């Protein structure tokens, strides 16, 4: 139960089965001799301890985040299927060093009945699962120098982004710069993990899919109120906090990862739709749909990662993982983007979502990410972008709240909406 709960939050039926089993066990225990009870208690304690450490290391073999390009022919065409109830899947981009945060997310907002699957991506899902152990400060400095110095012949957008990427002075201020660097591919390892699950288990795509950090809180009751009335089949991507780069320099937006990014079912379908391009003639290198045209522009050096038949999620995963950080001294193109920028680029330029409704960007075809209730970072922080650490009660989103605050928020919601929350893990009624 513990292992399945860690990957997919249990359905009410599973909780019910656990309760019945516990009642029967209690009756059995009352009939046991005292010495046998002592031995049984010792065994249970040992198993619990071993399961805890197994929990931190476990990753379902069939859902491994390590994706091999030769398997891209298994990409699936998904069709819309109406789920009977409002359904949200969550991907928490996490770390094995912070299991308390993952557990807190599961106990609190992920216990809301709208949450169907709770996916977790950690170091063990990275393409290089040993990165966090063996990446050195020298590696980190070499990565920064490679990305910032090799900018000739790049598109204006990519040249600007690489110039801003991972300055050594900025990295030196981080608590764990090596861990931060290794984590930049993790959201897309997690996305592939989810894709593999939907494909291999023939599971319907959720109404909405949220990618967030392990230190992020979402009020799922407010989320359901806001999104249940929306048309989930329309491809839309909403950033919990949208970052706008200086418009006079480069017109580019991306979601601030700590506040999460929300993908509708329609957007997921666009991400998981196989791409088939054919060799063109004349001035056209590729022919096919609009994604082939975008590939031919090769704005961020993504073209050499593409193989016919792969989908955008697979392309993004290849882009962030093909050349490992530890092999920086042998890089040819490398991986020179913040994880948030990768999402911003592919979501915007590959038309994963419909165009934004803001008329100011009517003539910007790659404006595809909406801001959740107008929450943006440009000149100042607006909306939910202000919700960091100290958040008010009933906040829709909070980044880096305390675990105690998350527990209290959930307790208050449960008091009035008990039927909307599953029993907390580890508690029996």
């Amino acid at each position: 139960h513990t292992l399945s709960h860690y990957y997919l939050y249990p359905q009410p039926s599973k909780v019910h089965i656990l309760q019945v089993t516990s009642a029967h066990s209690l009756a059995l225990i009352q009939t046991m001799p005292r010495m046998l009870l002592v031995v049984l208690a010792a065994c249970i304690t040992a198993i619990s301890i071993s399961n805890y450490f197994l929990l931190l290391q476990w990753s379902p073999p069939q859902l491994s985040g390590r994706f091999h390009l030769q398997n891209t022919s298994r990409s699936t065409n998904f069709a819309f299927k109406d789920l009977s109830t409002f359904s949200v899947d969550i991907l928490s981009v996490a770390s094995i060093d912070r299991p308390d945060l993952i557990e807190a997310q599961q106990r609190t907002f992920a216990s809301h009945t709208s949450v169907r699957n709770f996916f977790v991506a950690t170091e063990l899902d990275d393409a290089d699962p040993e990165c966090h152990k063996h990446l050195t400060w020298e590696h980190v400095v070499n990565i920064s120098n490679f990305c910032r110095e090799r900018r000739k012949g790049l598109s204006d957008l990519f040249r600007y982004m690489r110039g801003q990427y991972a300055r050594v002075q900025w990295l030196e201020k981080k608590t764990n710069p090596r861990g931060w660097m290794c984590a930049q591919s993790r959201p897309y390892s997690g996305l592939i993990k989810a894709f593999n699950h939907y494909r291999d288990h023939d599971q319907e795509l959720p109404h909405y899919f949220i990618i967030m950090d392990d230190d992020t809180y979402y009020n799922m009751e407010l989320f359901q109120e806001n999104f249940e009335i929306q048309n989930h089949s329309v491809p839309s991507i909403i950033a919990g906090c949208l970052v706008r780069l200086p418009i006079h320099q480069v017109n580019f937006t991306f979601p601030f990862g700590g506040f999460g990014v929300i993908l509708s079912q329609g957007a997921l379908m666009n991400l998981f739709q196989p791409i088939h391009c054919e060799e063109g003639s004349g001035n056209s290198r590729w022919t096919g749909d609009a994604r082939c045209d975008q590939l031919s522009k090769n704005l961020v050096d993504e073209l050499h990662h593409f193989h016919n038949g792969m989908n955008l999620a697979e392309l993004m995963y290849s882009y962030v993982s093909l050349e490992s950080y530890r092999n920086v001294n042998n890089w040819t193109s490398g991986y020179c983007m913040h994880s948030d920028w990768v999402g911003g680029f592919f979501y915007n330029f590959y038309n994963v979502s419909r165009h934004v409704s803001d008329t100011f960007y009517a003539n910007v075809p790659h404006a595809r990410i909406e801001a959740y209730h107008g929450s943006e970072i440009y000149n100042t922080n607006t909306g939910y972008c202000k919700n960091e650490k100290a958040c008010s009660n009933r906040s829709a989103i909070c980044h880096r709240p305390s675990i105690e605050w998350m527990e209290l928020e959930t307790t208050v919601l449960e008091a009035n909406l008990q039927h909307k929350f599953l029993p907390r893990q580890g508690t029996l009624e």
Side-chain angles (χ1 to χ4, degrees), residues 374-387:
S375 304
E376 295 186 357
I377 296 178
Y378 189 54
N379 293 323
T380 59
N381 292 12
T382 63
Y384 302 136
C385 300
K386 298 178 181 178
N387 291 3

Side-chain angles (χ1 to χ4, degrees), residues 94-98 123 126 130-138 140-141 166-184 186 214 325 338 400:
S95 171
I96 56 177
D97 294 330
R98 307 195 300 186
E123 290 87 342
D126 292 345
E130 298 294 309
C131 179
H132 68 291
K133 294 180 181 178
H134 303 300
L135 194 74
T136 66
W137 173 248
E138 182 181 358
V140 171
V141 172
R167 298 169 186 246
V168 172
Q169 298 88 337
W170 180 79
L171 289 166
E172 288 174 333
K173 297 177 183 179
K174 299 193 75 65
T175 304
N176 181 12
R178 294 178 297 123
W180 176 88
M181 187 69 74
C182 292
Q184 295 314 298
R186 198 162 302 151
D214 59 0
Y325 288 123
H338 189 291
R400 296 179 182 166

Side-chain angles (χ1 to χ4, degrees), residues 157 242 244-248 250-253 294 297 299 344 347-351 353-370:
L157 173 64
L242 185 68
R244 293 190 182 278
L245 294 183
I247 293 175
H248 65 281
V250 57
N251 209 332
F252 181 66
T253 62
Q294 186 61 52
K297 297 175 184 177
L299 290 182
Y347 299 154
N348 278 315
F349 285 83
Y350 281 83
N351 299 349
S353 173
R354 64 183 177 183
H355 196 275
V356 299
S357 56
D358 190 339
T359 56
F360 182 81
Y361 296 96
N363 296 320
V364 182
H366 54 272
R368 301 276 170 169
I369 305 176
E370 297 275 4

Side-chain angles (χ1 to χ4, degrees), residues 105 109 212-219 258-260 384 386-392 394-402 405-406 409:
Q105 286 184 322
F109 65 88
M212 63 176 70
D213 287 353
D214 59 0
D215 56 359
T216 303
Y217 171 90
Y218 264 57
N219 183 320
F259 292 86
Y384 302 136
K386 298 178 181 178
N387 291 3
E388 185 124 17
K389 294 185 178 178
C391 298
S392 60
R394 292 277 291 175
S395 292
I397 301 173
C398 188
H399 184 215
R400 296 179 182 166
S402 67
W405 183 89
M406 294 170 65
E409 280 290 288

Side-chain angles (χ1 to χ4, degrees), residues 5 107 169 317 345:
H5 182 91
R107 284 197 311 271
Q169 298 88 337
Y317 178 72
F345 174 75

Side-chain angles (χ1 to χ4, degrees), residues 27 29 47 67 101 111 165 168 176 181 191 193 216 240-241 249 266 314 337 367 404 412:
I29 287 172
I47 292 170
F67 188 87
L101 296 180
S111 67
Y165 177 74
V168 172
N176 181 12
M181 187 69 74
L191 185 60
K193 189 174 188 175
T216 303
C241 173
Q249 292 179 305
E314 294 164 346
M337 278 212 219
E404 292 73 19
V412 171

Side-chain angles (χ1 to χ4, degrees), residues 277-304:
C277 303
E278 298 178 0
E279 291 287 346
S281 59
N283 295 327
S284 177
R285 179 170 181 182
W286 297 98
T287 61
D289 61 30
R291 295 172 297 178
C292 300
D293 294 335
Q294 186 61 52
L295 271 167
S296 67
K297 297 175 184 177
N298 201 29
L299 290 182
V300 295
D301 201 21
E302 73 271 29
L303 181 57
H304 75 277

